Amino acid sequence: MTVPPRVDLLRQGDCTGPMYILIDGWAIRYKILVDGRRQILSVLLPGDIFDINGFMAKSMDHSIASLTAVKLAELDRDTMDTARNQFPDVEKLLWCDMHVSAAIQREWSTSLGQRTARERMAQLLCELFTRQASANLCQGKTCAFHLTQIELAETLGMTPVYVNRTLQDLRREGLIQLENRTLTINDLPRLEQLALFDPGYLRICESDGGTGANKETAHVL
């Protein structure tokens, strides 16, 4: 299934249904307050699974939207039962996906509560680069980057003006280049030091290749 950019895939309050794997493109989880303000909760990259709780929860407590055109694989309950029977590792990979997703959420909560604006930005850039590198989606120091400055503000709890100022600072310091929907990290060790970044939370399923477990799950299914 292919969906165009910036379309809601699932909306808060919707009944849950099948589970999906993001095969190509970027998507986000988000919540909207009654006054219209939006908080982006996570970024979904190729290989990520979403609505994994759809087999248990009755309705969505958040929304999911495409950022780019996306390609999705839909997995209903019968498909999942067949996969579990034919591939014993599928169950472990699904648990790994949930553990890594929860670890990412904890790191984002820590950023919002304790990191400075510069540290928050650097943390997010390091994370998105590392996740894509783990799935072989980077070209050297360069990876895709599809968040606008407004979406960065909605992710990091900053104003768009301050997002712009922070990005300009990182550019002037020679740490990053960000243009044409691509991110180049010129000095990853320095950026990680600035972010107080420890990638261990992305690799809590070491035996399954860290964040690459998501892509392996998509391949098996």
Side-chain angles (χ1 to χ4, degrees):
M1 177 169 61
T2 302
V3 180
R6 289 179 166 76
V7 170
D8 280 336
L9 308 174
L10 293 164
R11 292 180 179 172
Q12 187 172 331
D14 283 352
C15 293
T16 56
M19 186 168 67
Y20 296 93
I21 295 176
L22 185 60
I23 302 300
D24 191 31
W26 282 35
I28 54 169
R29 300 180 191 272
Y30 71 91
K31 289 183 75 76
I32 290 186
L33 300 180
V34 293
D35 62 3
R37 285 175 292 166
R38 184 171 74 163
Q39 177 67 44
I40 292 177
L41 305 171
S42 61
V43 176
L44 299 169
L45 302 177
D48 284 342
I49 302 171
F50 64 91
D51 204 21
I52 197 170
N53 63 339
F55 295 147
M56 297 176 286
K58 292 182 179 180
S59 63
M60 294 289 296
D61 69 342
H62 63 281
S63 300
I64 299 176
S66 60
L67 278 184
T68 66
V70 298
K71 183 178 180 182
L72 306 174
E74 181 179 307
L75 303 172
D76 58 25
R77 188 182 296 275
D78 290 341
T79 302
M80 282 303 304
D81 288 342
T82 299
R84 286 189 177 107
N85 291 332
Q86 292 183 357
F87 303 100
D89 285 343
V90 166
E91 191 79 31
K92 183 169 68 172
L93 290 168
L94 292 174
W95 277 108
C96 180
D97 180 89
M98 288 190 288
H99 282 308
V100 173
S101 295
I104 290 172
Q105 200 67 62
R106 288 190 289 270
E107 196 67 30
W108 282 35
S109 296
T110 301
S111 284
L112 289 173
Q114 296 299 325
R115 285 186 172 94
T116 66
R118 278 167 52 85
E119 291 168 349
R120 265 181 253 172
M121 181 68 75
Q123 162 71 25
L124 180 64
L125 299 180
C126 287
E127 179 187 293
L128 292 176
F129 179 84
T130 301
R131 288 172 61 191
Q132 291 182 85
S134 297
N136 298 318
L137 297 174
C138 293
Q139 299 293 326
K141 298 179 178 181
T142 300
C143 66
F145 195 85
H146 295 289
L147 292 167
T148 67
Q149 291 192 13
I150 290 175
E151 288 158 351
L152 281 169
E154 293 172 333
T155 300
L156 299 173
M158 298 160 60
T159 66
V161 171
Y162 204 47
V163 164
N164 181 272
R165 186 182 306 165
T166 304
L167 289 173
Q168 292 298 335
D169 285 346
L170 297 179
R171 287 189 181 102
R172 277 193 297 269
E173 293 168 29
L175 294 173
I176 67 165
Q177 293 173 266
L178 189 57
E179 55 186 358
N180 299 323
R181 298 184 180 182
T182 60
L183 167 68
T184 300
I185 298 183
N186 298 319
D187 193 332
L188 184 58
R190 279 181 61 207
L191 193 66
E192 289 179 335
Q193 184 177 28
L194 170 61
L196 308 176
F197 180 72
D198 179 355
Y201 71 99
L202 298 173
R203 299 169 180 161
I204 57 176
C205 296
E206 288 286 349
S207 61
D208 294 319
T211 54
N214 293 0
K215 189 163 280 293
E216 184 178 345
T217 304
H219 175 73
V220 168
L221 298 176

